Amino acid sequence: MTIERLEPLARQPHRLKIHLSDGSALTTQDYVAADLGLYPGKVLEEQDYQALLEAISLAAAKNRAVRMIAAAGHSRQDLQRKLVQKGEEPQAAQAAVDWLTDLKLLDDRETAAALVRSAVAKGYGKARIRQILQEKAIPRELWEEALELVPAMDEAVDRFLERRFRGEIPDEKEIKRAVDALLRRGHSYGDIRAGLQRYDLSLEGEFED
């Protein structure tokens, strides 16, 4: 098989199409051609062709991985899993994750801390934050260190109750709805009870576990 021409894609910077003598074409990053020393007229033996396919697969996985970590925090395991779900080859996905780790662009400890800070800013409690760490496949040995960044939940609970009750004294049903909402956000019974009492001492005893 012979390379007939290398065609840069005008609307996709740093990408090109490799036209082959069998009528097929492969699209990849331009550095793949440079790394493999491709040029028009080059004959590709079977091993050369397979090496090209592997290089294209890895380049695609790297490109997708960079886009994904720019959009949201991912752990190594979470990113590798999602790359495979998106259609990347498992071996290429693993190599892309290792590549980002070597470049210091992917670090489970830093990702865990970022996830905790984001969750705290949203007013989530520890239970919900633990769930997020699990969903993002953060290694369990990093959980406690990350959770040390969670401050006391008084302010988050108070802010929620103020928005919910708007200065009024809620009835039993309103209290229950507020409690259920706070539990879903990961706050503990103790923090919620204390928040209700801070909101109005007359609510003491209105909340039962």
Side-chain angles (χ1 to χ4, degrees):
M1 190 181 305
T2 305
I3 296 176
E4 291 192 336
R5 71 180 190 279
L6 303 176
E7 176 190 2
L9 300 181
R11 297 185 180 182
Q12 299 181 53
H14 306 297
R15 289 179 63 80
L16 56 77
K17 183 174 289 187
I18 303 169
H19 295 269
L20 303 173
S21 57
D22 65 353
S24 64
L26 302 170
T27 301
T28 187
Q29 304 298 118
D30 54 8
Y31 70 80
V32 171
D35 289 348
L36 296 180
L38 304 183
Y39 56 86
K42 180 172 183 176
V43 176
L44 299 178
E45 302 295 343
E46 180 60 26
Q47 65 269 24
D48 298 325
Y49 180 66
Q50 291 303 319
L52 174 57
L53 293 181
E54 290 176 8
I56 290 173
S57 177
L58 177 56
K62 286 181 176 181
N63 193 44
R64 190 188 294 272
V66 169
R67 295 199 308 269
M68 289 175 69
I69 65 168
H74 292 285
S75 67
R76 285 175 51 87
Q77 183 180 338
D78 181 49
L79 181 59
Q80 183 177 348
R81 180 180 60 205
K82 290 185 176 179
L83 285 170
V84 173
Q85 289 174 349
K86 293 288 187 180
E88 306 299 342
E89 293 294 327
Q91 185 175 356
Q94 178 65 65
V97 167
D98 292 341
W99 173 68
L100 288 173
T101 302
D102 291 342
L103 291 176
K104 311 299 183 185
L105 296 176
L106 186 62
D107 183 284
D108 284 350
R109 178 173 277 102
E110 291 183 4
T111 298
L115 290 170
V116 169
R117 288 193 294 268
S118 175
V120 168
K122 295 175 182 177
Y124 292 154
K126 279 192 174 183
R128 177 69 181 107
I129 294 173
R130 286 192 185 92
Q131 184 181 5
I132 291 171
L133 295 175
Q134 183 176 20
E135 291 170 351
K136 290 293 186 177
I138 297 296
R140 283 186 176 271
E141 60 267 23
L142 299 179
W143 285 21
E144 290 308 313
E145 178 183 339
L147 288 168
E148 289 177 0
L149 299 173
V150 180
M153 291 287 100
D154 295 3
E155 183 178 348
V157 173
D158 292 349
R159 189 165 57 246
F160 179 89
L161 294 176
E162 288 291 343
R163 289 199 305 265
R164 190 85 175 200
F165 298 149
R166 300 180 181 180
E168 303 294 331
I169 302 300
D171 60 23
E172 184 176 344
K173 288 183 178 180
E174 290 172 328
I175 292 174
K176 184 179 185 309
R177 284 195 291 267
V179 169
D180 288 345
L182 284 167
L183 288 173
R184 287 194 298 271
R185 294 172 73 84
H187 295 284
S188 69
Y189 282 104
D191 286 343
I192 298 170
R193 183 191 298 278
L196 288 170
Q197 292 173 357
R198 286 193 299 274
Y199 182 80
D200 193 295
L201 286 175
S202 68
L203 299 181
E204 186 172 5
E206 291 291 326
F207 168 41
E208 297 295 337
D209 295 8

